[in-house]
Amino acid sequence: MYLCSMKLSVIVPVYGVEETLRRCAESILGQSFRDLQLILVDDCSPDRCPQICDELAAKDMRVVVRHHRQNGGLSAARNTGLARAKGEYVTFVDSDDYWAPDMLKPLIELLTVHHDYDILEYSVYEHFGWPGHMNILRLDDRAYTDLHEYWYGARAYEHTYAWNKIYKRELFDGLTFPEGRKFEDAYVLPQLLERTSCVATTSLGYYYYCYNPKGITQQADGKDLNDLLQAHLKVLRKPADSPLARPTAHYYGRVLNVALDVYNATGEVAALPSFKTVCRHPDAGKANLKIKALNILGIKNLCRINKLLHLFSKKGR
């Protein structure tokens, strides 16, 4: 049977996207590289998505559909897809996004030549369709065997997206996305890196990350931001033998910013590990200042002062 063995499994969680689902699926099925399995996980979508999924499966034997009886969220849908994945490699696509035409073939060719690549991250057109915010994330052509350099030096923590990466499927053996949490990508990528020997980035390909005002990022509340914070706190607390130990000031400063945002939204004060090192990088000035303020004032006082400044800035607009 065709689906017993293939190169790539593509997992697409589906919920409330009847207007974009066909565009997404057709951008995948229309690639010149055809040795793939498309897994559509209908997460009990209330619109016409279940019927569209079945119609797509009826037209193309590479499409597999799973229907959830209850809505379980993005992580649950991805986990369902991973359980059905048959490919040597696996990747994810969000159903309101899509792939550039014929972008997959050169990525697969790169993986075929470099079988040592456990993860291949490719470039992204970010916030496509949002005037004034669109940005091309064009990555370097580089392989990293030093995962500390990838996470901190290349600042992979700024784009922990699950969907602009192709993974060896075996990396997910015994590993699932955390259900019931938002920003689940930030939880999973650090765990994957600890199972990885080599990550590569490439300027090839384009993933169209489309602006969605109803999406998780745009609708994030205090609880969601706390999920993001907890994911990064797990990295800050990595033991000394982890490749992600020894965080940089820039990274610590970003985590501190999330902690301040959580306080502004919920009043909860995070317990951050201490950090004393000053970063010499020319663009780390703001991070260094906030870290110095944290060390002098303590997290609770810094949160209170930051909230006051935030309120004053709002009034001044």
Side-chain angles (χ1 to χ4, degrees), residues 127-134 211:
H127 310 299
F128 186 72
W130 189 6
H133 294 82
M134 292 186 287
Y211 170 63

Side-chain angles (χ1 to χ4, degrees), residues 67-237:
H67 294 290
H68 282 176
R69 294 184 178 180
Q70 293 182 330
N71 176 255
L74 182 60
S75 287
R78 285 176 175 167
N79 292 337
T80 295
L82 285 169
R84 294 297 301 271
K86 304 294 184 183
E88 179 184 357
Y89 293 90
V90 64
T91 192
F92 305 92
V93 180
D94 284 355
S95 47
D96 48 358
D97 301 333
Y98 62 98
W99 280 349
D102 206 25
M103 68 121 214
L104 186 56
K105 184 178 178 181
L107 299 180
I108 296 297
E109 289 174 347
L110 194 59
L111 287 168
T112 301
V113 173
H114 297 280
H115 198 260
D116 56 318
Y117 293 174
D118 296 313
I119 301 174
L120 176 63
E121 182 179 16
Y122 60 96
S123 298
V124 182
Y125 206 142
E126 296 178 307
H127 310 299
F128 186 72
W130 189 6
H133 294 82
M134 292 186 287
N135 174 65
I136 293 178
L137 173 64
R138 183 175 285 110
L139 300 173
D140 294 334
D141 296 305
R142 183 173 174 184
Y144 297 85
T145 54
D146 180 347
L147 282 309
H148 186 277
E149 175 61 21
Y150 170 69
W151 182 255
Y152 294 115
R155 296 185 181 177
Y157 54 79
E158 294 183 344
H159 36 93
T160 60
Y161 313 129
W163 33 250
N164 73 322
K165 300 168 182 69
I166 301 176
Y167 315 81
K168 286 183 178 176
R169 182 167 58 90
E170 62 191 28
L171 292 177
F172 284 95
D173 289 348
L175 176 62
T176 56
F177 287 88
E179 299 185 15
R181 293 182 182 271
K182 300 292 177 65
F183 295 103
E184 63 291 324
D185 302 356
Y187 277 90
V188 171
L189 183 57
Q191 295 181 70
L192 289 168
L193 293 180
E194 293 188 317
R195 299 172 169 216
T196 297
S197 298
C198 182
V199 175
T201 58
T202 178
S203 58
L204 298 172
Y206 269 116
Y207 182 104
Y208 281 82
Y209 169 27
C210 297
Y211 170 63
N212 181 358
K214 298 180 181 179
I216 291 172
T217 302
Q218 300 302 320
Q219 296 292 320
D221 58 17
K223 179 183 179 300
D224 301 334
L225 290 173
N226 190 55
D227 285 344
L228 177 62
L229 175 62
Q230 296 306 315
H232 287 295
L233 286 178
K234 286 174 70 72
V235 176
L236 289 181
R237 294 170 179 150

Side-chain angles (χ1 to χ4, degrees), residues 3 44 48 62 92 112 138 148 151 160 263 280 305:
L3 294 181
C44 196
R48 289 196 66 256
R62 296 175 296 167
F92 305 92
T112 301
R138 183 175 285 110
H148 186 277
W151 182 255
T160 60
Y263 179 83
R280 304 299 179 188
I305 293 171

